[in-house]
Amino acid sequence: MVAFNALASLLVSVSAVLASPAPRTLPIPGNCNVTSAKPDLPSGQTNITVPSGQVPEKITLGVGVQNYTCTDAGTYTSAGAVATLFDISCIYDTSQYSTITKVAYDIWNAIPNNEISNVVETFVKKAFPVFADHYFITSPSGTGISPVFDARATSHKGDPNAFVLAARTGDLAAPTGNQDIDWLQLSNVQGDLAKTVLRIDTQRGQPPSSCTPGSELISVKYTAAYWFLN
Ligand SMILES: *[C@@H]1O[C@H](CO)[C@@H](O)[C@H](O)[C@H]1NC(C)=O
Ligand SMILES: *[C@@H]1O[C@H](CO)[C@@H](O)[C@H](O)[C@H]1NC(C)=O
Ligand SMILES: *[C@@H]1O[C@H](CO)[C@@H](O)[C@H](O)[C@H]1NC(C)=O
């Protein structure tokens, strides 16, 4: 019954997304030019910016989980993330854009567990092609972990350099409140996919405020917009 309700709600939500007024016939092709698009960043701050000389090349929707492990001090610390990034460049200039991470979060949150993320993919993919996979690997220095955005198995098959391994160069508390993970500026360390990746318009993904030392890794659902700049 729980599963049925979640699926029914998913279908209703996806139908609503697909049926909402849009100037184009769906499915939307994933090749819209967004070089003139401007991310909606809070004014009066310099933590997150579009670096001079760079322009957006892709606007994507990330749907996934933030992982956390429990420290000996009883607080959660980041253990990376796993997400699928969908190309939403073609809705940047439509009324759907401003609510897309919220709508996607509500769909994702209605699924009873993380394993059926492929159900989300099956439906969201109808409108938005998969652009890249997002995950973490051991940093090139050998210490810590680094975010990777990898399009080699998705939108850029056959291109060995279609990834970006990045380092955090800017961090802004989410202007929407502390239930949402920070907005980030990530700069290229390796790969050709982007010079800069911005993580903005985040929805949820924060861990509980405390944990029992020794407890298992947790995965917290989130969505965000990831802008790829070149
Ligand atoms: C995208 O549009 C800009 C002008 O806004 C143009 O300079 C650029 O060549 C276009 N890129 C592609 C790939 O068509
Ligand atoms: C901006 O970045 C600085 C330096 O990392 C940090 O101390 C500050 O909290 C950030 N501001 C916000 C609003 O997150
Ligand atoms: C994060 O959690 C997901 C399951 O929710 C798992 O598939 C993935 O391997 C985890 N990643 C890391 C780096 O622990």
Side-chain angles (χ1 to χ4, degrees):
M1 196 57 188
V2 169
F4 172 79
N5 286 342
L7 185 60
S9 134
L10 172 74
L11 291 170
V12 167
S13 307
V14 170
S15 308
V17 172
L18 298 181
S20 61
R24 296 185 183 83
T25 305
L26 296 173
I28 298 167
N31 60 356
C32 293
N33 187 333
V34 289
T35 53
S36 304
K38 302 262 182 285
D40 189 8
L41 303 172
S43 57
Q45 58 80 35
T46 53
N47 286 31
I48 308 268
T49 59
V50 173
S52 141
Q54 297 184 24
V55 294
E57 194 165 283
K58 253 332 156 196
I59 302 174
T60 72
L61 165 70
V63 179
V65 293
Q66 294 285 324
N67 289 351
Y68 299 94
T69 51
C70 189
T71 65
D72 291 343
T75 55
Y76 279 113
T77 187
S78 176
V82 184
T84 301
L85 272 51
F86 302 93
D87 186 348
I88 56 168
S89 303
C90 292
I91 62 160
Y92 171 71
D93 60 358
T94 75
S95 59
Q96 288 179 61
Y97 182 75
S98 64
T99 56
I100 190 69
T101 61
K102 170 87 170 73
V103 168
Y105 179 81
D106 290 344
I107 293 171
W108 180 208
N109 190 41
I111 307 291
N113 56 45
N114 296 346
E115 281 82 54
I116 51 173
S117 59
N118 56 346
V119 177
V120 175
E121 293 186 27
T122 302
F123 287 91
V124 178
K125 210 187 276 181
K126 287 185 196 299
F128 308 127
V130 174
F131 175 65
D133 298 308
H134 175 39
Y135 53 86
F136 280 69
I137 62 168
T138 302
S139 299
S141 68
T143 305
I145 55 175
S146 298
V148 176
F149 302 89
D150 187 347
R152 291 174 292 192
T154 54
S155 60
H156 287 63
K157 284 198 179 84
D159 177 351
N161 299 317
F163 72 95
V164 54
L165 183 150
R168 179 181 300 199
T169 49
D171 189 323
L172 182 72
T176 43
N178 63 11
Q179 74 283 355
D180 299 326
I181 50 174
D182 289 4
W183 294 18
L184 300 179
Q185 181 160 343
L186 302 162
S187 300
N188 181 298
V189 175
Q190 293 177 2
D192 285 350
L193 196 60
K195 291 188 177 120
T196 301
V197 180
L198 301 181
R199 181 179 83 185
I200 62 175
D201 299 334
T202 53
Q203 290 282 324
R204 306 301 176 119
Q206 294 281 24
S209 56
S210 65
C211 53
T212 305
S215 56
E216 288 184 352
L217 175 143
I218 60 165
S219 295
V220 183
K221 291 177 181 179
Y222 83 106
T223 60
Y226 289 91
W227 286 51
F228 289 79
L229 313 178
N230 260 315

